[in-house]
Amino acid sequence: MRRLLAAAFALCLSAGGAFAQEPMRTPIKLDIVNESLPKSLTGTPGNAEAGKKVFLTRTLGNCLACHQVTSLKSEEFHGEFGPSLDGVADRYTEAQLRLIVADPKRIFTNTVMPAFFKNDGLSRVRPEFVGKSILTAAQVEDVIAFLKTLN
């Protein structure tokens, strides 16, 4: 129960990253092909170092709150709620990783992982977060670039 509460708290913290973004006027549309997003959300590759920062920052991705990554063992508070991300680049294609980060329920229907690049169809959204995604398209691409280093 304690782990579940910690994971829920971590998810709430990660939603704080939406403060910095302007609300989207229209719903984000994802070009999903065979349970993946083959096209970059920005048209350019992400930056792995910037993605690592998003991954670790508690008010942005906060991924380490739920996932373990051996190469980041010097960082504190690895979660045990989500699967280990060791070898994730070998398990999924870049296009699959992009969809998993953007809108994980499209692949894992029962996941508690938030959709980091979605701004509609959400429940219990505070008024100041309506129309906003947790991460920007560039931040998603940066996280994907970082995840691709985890093989």
Side-chain angles (χ1 to χ4, degrees):
M1 182 66 168
R2 184 174 278 183
R3 281 189 189 150
L4 182 59
L5 290 174
F9 179 70
L11 291 174
C12 289
L13 285 177
S14 69
F19 272 121
Q21 298 180 41
E22 291 298 316
M24 296 283 191
R25 304 225 187 293
T26 58
I28 294 171
K29 299 293 182 202
L30 301 174
D31 295 324
I32 299 169
V33 178
N34 297 324
E35 295 189 335
S36 68
L37 284 175
K39 295 181 184 175
S40 165
L41 299 173
T42 61
T44 60
N47 176 293
E49 200 56 39
K52 180 179 177 181
K53 289 178 185 172
V54 172
F55 187 94
L56 294 172
T57 301
R58 296 205 187 291
T59 57
L60 290 173
N62 198 24
C63 307
L64 206 57
C66 291
H67 299 281
Q68 294 181 11
V69 178
T70 301
S71 65
L72 297 174
K73 64 183 171 188
S74 63
E75 299 291 330
E76 295 182 325
F77 309 118
H78 290 242
E80 297 176 356
F81 193 71
S84 169
L85 295 181
D86 290 347
V88 73
D90 295 328
R91 293 193 303 271
Y92 298 101
T93 66
E94 177 179 336
Q96 290 169 323
L97 288 171
R98 188 174 291 113
L99 182 56
I100 291 168
V101 172
D103 190 359
K105 287 192 185 303
R106 299 280 187 126
I107 295 176
F108 307 113
T109 55
N110 293 322
T111 188
V112 296
M113 181 174 161
F116 286 95
F117 194 63
K118 185 175 179 175
N119 67 349
D120 70 326
L122 305 170
S123 61
R124 299 175 25 204
V125 178
R126 289 178 51 166
E128 65 267 28
F129 296 119
V130 171
K132 298 177 184 178
S133 61
I134 296 172
L135 298 179
T136 65
Q139 289 169 325
V140 170
E141 291 302 323
D142 291 343
V143 169
I144 299 313
F146 173 66
L147 292 174
K148 286 173 38 182
T149 70
L150 301 178
N151 47 11

